[in-house]
Amino acid sequence: MRALLVVNPQATATTPAGRDVLAHALASEVKLDVVETDYRGHAADAAARAVVDGYDLVVAHGGDGTVNEVVNGVLRGGARPDLPLLGVVPGGSANVFAGALGLPRDPVEATYRLLQAIEHGTSRRVSLGKVASAGAGHDHDRWFTFNAGVGWDADVVAGVEHQRAKGRQASPGLYARTALTSYFNQRHAPASLTVQVPGEPAFEDVRLAFVSNTDPWTYLGDKAIRLNPSTSFDGGLGLFALHGMGLPTVLRYVAHLLATDGNPKGANLLRRDDVEYVRVTSREAVNLQVDGDLLGPCTEVEFTSAPGALTVAV
């Protein structure tokens, strides 16, 4: 088996020693090549080249952003049966995709699981989400593995990226503080979104829209945040949208999500599970994020489900 290990040396929990242990362990089982990323998009380019060169396995070692890039590189030419397997060894701060797959979030334990999967030939087909967006001078076509959204969550991602560019390290505390700041900023001019799902009239005056490809939506430290608990890699997309962003409404849902295992309900809440697509339009440009990566402003975006688009070693 030919394998490519794609390492993001800037990821939160990635270290040179850990990379060397991982590479040594993999090299005992496969013919291994290693790429360390040094620019945005490098992981995607390396994974796309691995497809062209006929690799059997591409392993992403980094955070969810690295995994997302590798997935987009593998699928650059579209989903088809002969694509390489994806392997994941977490090295970031949240590692949502790995957690949703039931993989260990500890890199050493995840390496052992990957070696077992290689030895026994175990894998799983997973559905992915795909984003097509337009407006505000930006057009994007991007796969996502666990979540995407427009509005508040994307503003949080933008704020965290800005802080990280100044040398701050990503942490649950940084996300929480940025979320609070972003909330009060957007209350001055809340976006008005129109949301469409299959077989229903359009929903007007929506203030935020989160789309899930699996459960959980994310992690806050070790706490799983579960917006759509019935959503999984075996079905369609989940939608969590709010009509109101008043402080009592937001506090009620935040408290519920932090204190329970999810399944929130309420008059202001629009929730759907296992839908084929979610279409969102806005009169004014709003930020868009996929898998915690900021894509930028848009006025139109469609999230679609791609069943069984990828095979993951598990």
Side-chain angles (χ1 to χ4, degrees), residues 18 30 32 52 58 60 69 72-73 95 161 203 207 245 285:
V30 299
L32 184 69
V52 174
V58 180
E69 279 201 24
N72 276 273
N95 307 305
E161 284 195 4
F203 297 93
R207 299 305 180 188
M245 287 287 286

Side-chain angles (χ1 to χ4, degrees), residues 10-299:
Q10 303 302 318
T12 306
T14 303
T15 65
R19 173 208 60 205
D20 292 343
V21 170
L22 170 58
H24 181 74
L26 286 174
S28 68
E29 298 291 334
V30 299
K31 183 180 179 182
L32 184 69
D33 293 308
V34 180
V35 170
E36 287 199 2
T37 62
D38 57 15
Y39 61 86
R40 189 181 181 94
H42 192 176
D45 291 341
R49 173 52 59 185
V51 174
V52 174
D53 291 343
Y55 281 78
D56 305 294
L57 171 69
V58 180
V59 180
H61 180 37
D64 286 307
T66 304
V67 174
N68 180 277
E69 279 201 24
V70 168
V71 167
N72 276 273
V74 168
L75 292 167
R76 186 171 287 177
R80 60 178 199 263
D82 61 338
L83 292 175
L85 282 170
L86 173 70
V88 178
V89 176
S93 57
N95 307 305
V96 182
F97 183 61
L101 283 167
L103 298 174
R105 296 168 74 191
D106 177 77
V108 175
E109 294 179 18
T111 299
Y112 176 75
R113 280 282 296 274
L114 178 58
L115 291 172
Q116 291 292 104
I118 293 171
E119 180 181 352
H120 298 293
T122 55
S123 63
R124 176 183 176 182
R125 298 287 294 181
V126 299
S127 297
L128 297 175
K130 194 170 187 180
V131 164
S133 67
H138 299 275
D139 294 328
H140 296 285
D141 226 1
R142 185 82 168 261
W143 299 90
F144 64 97
T145 63
F146 60 92
N147 79 33
V150 291
W152 185 20
D153 67 328
D155 292 341
V156 173
V157 170
V160 170
E161 284 195 4
H162 179 69
Q163 292 296 319
R164 293 186 70 181
K166 297 194 296 185
R168 298 287 299 279
Q169 186 164 324
S171 67
L174 178 60
Y175 276 96
R177 290 191 297 273
T178 306
L180 188 63
T181 301
S182 298
Y183 170 75
F184 285 109
N185 286 342
Q186 64 81 38
R187 285 196 70 190
H188 298 298
S192 179
L193 311 175
T194 299
V195 177
Q196 294 175 279
V197 295
E200 300 188 53
F203 297 93
E204 306 284 351
D205 296 323
V206 174
R207 299 305 180 188
L208 64 80
F210 300 159
V211 178
S212 299
N213 183 53
T214 189
D215 173 66
W217 178 71
T218 191
Y219 289 96
L220 188 61
D222 291 329
K223 169 65 178 176
I225 306 300
R226 310 185 67 192
L227 302 187
N228 292 78
S230 298
T231 302
S232 76
F233 289 123
D234 299 316
L237 301 174
L239 169 66
F240 180 103
L242 288 178
H243 286 287
M245 287 287 286
L247 189 58
T249 297
V250 171
L251 288 177
R252 182 170 68 252
Y253 286 117
V254 169
H256 179 92
L257 293 169
L258 291 176
T260 71
D261 285 333
N263 202 30
K265 298 176 181 178
N268 279 317
L269 177 61
L270 168 64
R271 258 189 60 196
R272 297 292 184 271
D273 291 299
D274 197 20
V275 297
E276 179 184 351
Y277 68 82
V278 177
R279 187 176 296 123
V280 180
T281 57
S282 174
R283 290 187 293 272
E284 298 183 2
V286 289
N287 276 327
L288 166 67
Q289 69 85 16
V290 297
D291 285 349
D293 186 22
L294 182 69
L295 294 193
C298 68
T299 54

